[in-house]
Amino acid sequence: MIPSPAPSADPYDRKVPSAPAWDDAPCPALVLDAHGTVVARNRAARTLLDPSGDGAPRNGVPPAWLAEAHRCHVDGTPGVPAGPPAGPIGDRFYEARPTPAAAGGAVWWLVDDTGRRRAEAELHRAQERADTLTALFSTLLSSLNVPRCAEVAARMAAEHLADAAVLITPPVGRRYAVTHARRGGPVVQETYQVDPHGVPGLAEALRGFPPVPARWIDPRALPDWVVPAGFAGPVGSVIVTPLPGHGVPAGALILLRSGTEQAFTPDEEMFARLFAARAGTALSAARLYSEQTAITATLMRELLPPTLTSVDGVEYAGRYRTALDHERVGGDFYDVHPGADASQETFVVLGDVAGKGLDAAVLTGKIRNTLHALLPLASDHQQVLGLLNGALLTSPHTRFATMVLASVRRRGDEVRLRLTSAGHMPPLVVRTDGSVEEVDTHGTLVGALPTVTVRTAETVLAPGETCLLYTDGITEARGGPLGDEMFGEDRLRQALTECAGMPGEAIVERVQMLAAQWLGDGGHDDMAAVAIGAPRTAPQARAGARAGAHAGGHGGEDGRPERDGGHSGSDG
């Protein structure tokens, strides 16, 4: 774990949000209250916004462009520019992206956009060179964002094919996205209703029909919405050409020349068609990518592990790391399902599916959905595992899983747990005196044998004690001095001994950090850990909200049962 920096003497650097690595984030971040005053900055922001520069001084006033964006954000009114608010700080340019903060404020994350803007300027200079054909097409295909691709295509067409260009994409409902570009001028993107039949050949081009020859189009018949603002002189020559896509038209391109310029020649019309074909291919690929990205993001939300916090006075914390750094999901998973009220048990599950990557992640999604459907039976671990085992045996895949189930309920200052392991490593309990106890539960794999045999155990957590559920990706992490030694349970126990009295969030963070340090640059399996902790604060001193605010808890039943570290439950 990276240690947090020492408190700053700057009064506007206080009240840093509770996330442990917020102050160490490489991205500068400012916390602005509802009145637009800077109330906190992380380390990167303090380095960036030096008082001697023209950033936010120590009087709590943010940069002018950020203050305006914050006002619009707080008032709920959109800003004037399209996209995220942006502006200069010193000699660099930043985009600001907000996340909600307490009391109506916002945390503004400043993303350095200088590199992208400099790259665009370099591209503009390159487009002015004589031999630009290859650069034009490669640049056009370099974006997988539909509005961005339309912008690039229209601008390049205006700079190299005509005085102005208008790109129209297929309608959404009855509204068309129209991109205007004028040579030497800005690119304007708007969405509004237009009548394509008002432009000769446009309706046909949008349906993918061959283009109308330029000599057949009367420029005087063009409607006003076609001509970009600031266009010099009357339109003297027009080309309307389709943008062919992957089986479906990607839109249409209109090229305009002023009356003082020479009319389009047949060779120029042919080049415009070639350009439009490449632009249509790029737009079609970008649209397909956007659709696939949206579908993937929707499905991914169901596969990603949840964010854990306090429920009914019990603290939960989780950390997950996939086997491959470029993937977000894998074969390990965990879930926390609160009961109907504080008197009901919270159902916790942590599991490990054989394999890794997307195939394993798909099975974890099926298991999580099945367990969610079995929540009414969650008090009977044996029955839940038996039904899940039957569901996995009848599915077409051949993978199996290990998991540990926990039913959690707070009673007074203590937390009572019922734990059941199905082929999984037994949970470890960290006591306040630094001792580490292994919960006496064991069982067979899920999805491998006709029946599941398990042993359930009970234990009690006193205030300040934590129960850790973890997957074998941590203990089997192979690394060390020679790179071939497993991290092992002994090192894990030693690490937990040093975590006595620490909150669950800190424990799982430290366990993941130690395992990652042990690995070095080596490969590893998926890693997951969940901590269940009894907070030191008495229930009556905590805020009472359940899973919404996650700040407080209530006891279930009165009384404080004696600690039972290894009581046997049901045997299958």
Side-chain angles (χ1 to χ4, degrees):
M1 179 184 297
I2 301 174
S4 298
S8 171
D10 188 344
Y12 300 104
D13 294 339
R14 295 196 300 265
K15 302 179 181 179
V16 175
S18 60
W22 187 86
D23 196 56
D24 297 324
C27 181
L30 300 174
V31 181
L32 274 64
D33 62 16
H35 304 290
T37 302
V38 177
V39 296
R41 300 180 294 181
N42 67 355
R43 182 185 302 168
R46 292 194 296 270
T47 303
L48 173 67
L49 305 177
D50 187 88
S52 61
D54 51 8
R58 294 186 183 272
N59 61 6
V61 179
W65 61 270
L66 182 57
E68 177 63 19
H70 182 73
R71 184 189 62 78
C72 294
H73 178 77
V74 171
D75 294 342
T77 57
V80 175
I89 298 180
D91 60 348
R92 304 189 70 81
F93 205 92
Y94 289 83
E95 286 185 352
R97 302 179 183 271
T99 56
V107 181
W108 289 93
W109 299 86
L110 303 180
V111 181
D112 193 341
D113 196 41
T114 309
R116 183 178 68 87
R117 292 176 176 270
R118 291 177 179 174
E120 290 178 354
E122 182 63 28
L123 175 62
H124 179 72
R125 288 191 293 268
Q127 290 171 347
E128 295 176 345
R129 300 169 186 168
D131 189 9
T132 59
L133 187 60
T134 301
L136 288 176
F137 295 154
S138 63
T139 303
L140 190 61
L141 293 171
S142 66
S143 176
L144 291 175
N145 176 273
V146 175
R148 171 65 177 156
C149 190
E151 175 190 346
V152 172
R155 185 181 66 244
M156 291 195 301
E159 293 293 334
H160 298 280
L161 303 179
D163 295 328
V166 183
L167 191 148
I168 303 99
T169 55
V172 177
R174 302 178 63 181
R175 300 180 68 84
Y176 293 79
V178 181
T179 303
H180 289 93
R182 179 171 50 85
R183 180 181 297 178
V187 177
V188 179
Q189 293 182 311
E190 299 175 294
T191 301
Y192 41 71
Q193 293 185 11
V194 299
D195 180 12
H197 295 88
V199 180
L202 179 58
E204 293 77 10
L206 288 171
R207 293 197 294 268
F209 288 101
V212 175
R215 64 181 182 276
W216 291 7
I217 302 176
D218 183 2
R220 294 172 297 180
L222 293 179
D224 293 339
W225 66 265
V226 174
V227 183
F231 185 78
V235 178
S237 184
V238 183
I239 290 179
V240 179
T241 182
L243 299 173
H246 297 292
V248 179
L253 180 67
I254 303 175
L255 302 176
L256 308 176
R257 277 187 177 173
S258 66
T260 59
E261 293 286 342
Q262 183 180 0
F264 290 107
T265 66
D267 288 341
E268 289 175 331
E269 288 191 57
M270 184 62 66
F271 183 76
R273 295 176 190 177
L274 177 62
F275 177 89
R278 299 296 181 91
T281 300
L283 281 167
S284 181
R287 187 175 300 279
L288 179 62
Y289 176 80
S290 298
E291 293 173 354
Q292 292 178 339
T293 300
I295 294 172
T296 301
T298 301
L299 297 176
M300 190 71 69
R301 284 195 295 268
E302 298 299 321
L303 295 177
L304 290 173
T307 301
L308 304 185
T309 181
S310 299
V311 177
D312 294 330
V314 181
E315 294 181 348
Y316 298 92
R319 282 292 182 274
Y320 180 59
R321 179 180 178 182
T322 58
L324 301 176
D325 292 337
H326 64 275
E327 293 184 347
R328 300 179 62 194
V329 295
D332 289 2
F333 65 95
Y334 56 80
D335 275 308
V336 173
H337 302 281
D341 53 56
S343 65
Q344 302 296 315
E345 292 179 322
T346 294
F347 183 63
V348 183
V349 58
L350 177 137
D352 183 0
V353 172
K356 61 185 71 174
L358 185 58
D359 291 338
V362 171
L363 182 56
T364 66
K366 294 181 179 179
I367 292 176
R368 293 172 67 186
N369 289 336
T370 303
L371 289 172
H372 193 273
L374 295 174
L375 283 179
L377 308 174
S379 60
D380 189 339
H381 293 181
Q382 174 73 54
Q383 186 177 12
V384 169
L385 291 171
L387 293 172
L388 176 62
N389 186 67
L392 294 183
L393 289 176
T394 57
S395 63
H397 63 78
T398 58
R399 297 177 184 269
F400 58 87
T402 69
M403 62 187 64
V404 58
L405 309 181
S407 292
V408 186
R409 178 186 293 162
R410 180 163 183 162
R411 290 184 175 178
D413 291 343
E414 297 179 326
V415 175
R416 178 175 289 275
L417 294 89
R418 291 189 299 111
L419 298 147
T420 303
S421 172
H424 205 84
M425 290 80 63
L428 300 176
V429 177
V430 185
R431 302 297 183 187
T432 54
D433 60 1
S435 61
V436 178
E437 300 176 5
E438 182 180 288
V439 179
D440 186 18
T441 175
H442 55 79
T444 55
L445 302 171
V446 180
L449 301 173
T451 59
V452 176
T453 303
V454 295
R455 173 185 175 86
T456 299
E458 295 184 3
T459 190
V460 174
L461 303 179
E465 295 180 342
T466 301
C467 178
L468 180 72
L469 317 179
Y470 61 96
T471 60
D472 59 6
I474 293 174
T475 54
E476 296 180 5
R478 196 172 292 275
L482 300 180
D484 59 352
E485 185 179 358
M486 290 195 302
F487 186 71
E489 293 186 8
D490 291 340
R491 290 187 179 86
L492 177 59
R493 287 173 175 266
Q494 179 60 39
L496 293 177
T497 299
E498 300 168 357
C499 294
M502 295 172 60
E505 183 77 19
I507 292 177
V508 294
E509 183 77 21
R510 178 165 177 78
V511 167
Q512 289 275 27
M513 182 193 71
L514 291 176
Q517 290 177 343
W518 183 259
L519 282 168
D521 297 329
H524 60 88
D525 198 359
D526 298 326
M527 298 181 185
V530 172
I532 306 171
R536 292 182 177 274
T537 308
Q540 54 267 31
R542 301 169 60 87
R546 298 183 71 244
H550 299 305
H554 352 272
E557 302 176 11
D558 293 333
R560 300 173 62 181
E562 294 182 358
R563 177 178 301 164
D564 185 358
H567 177 68
S568 171
S570 61
D571 293 324

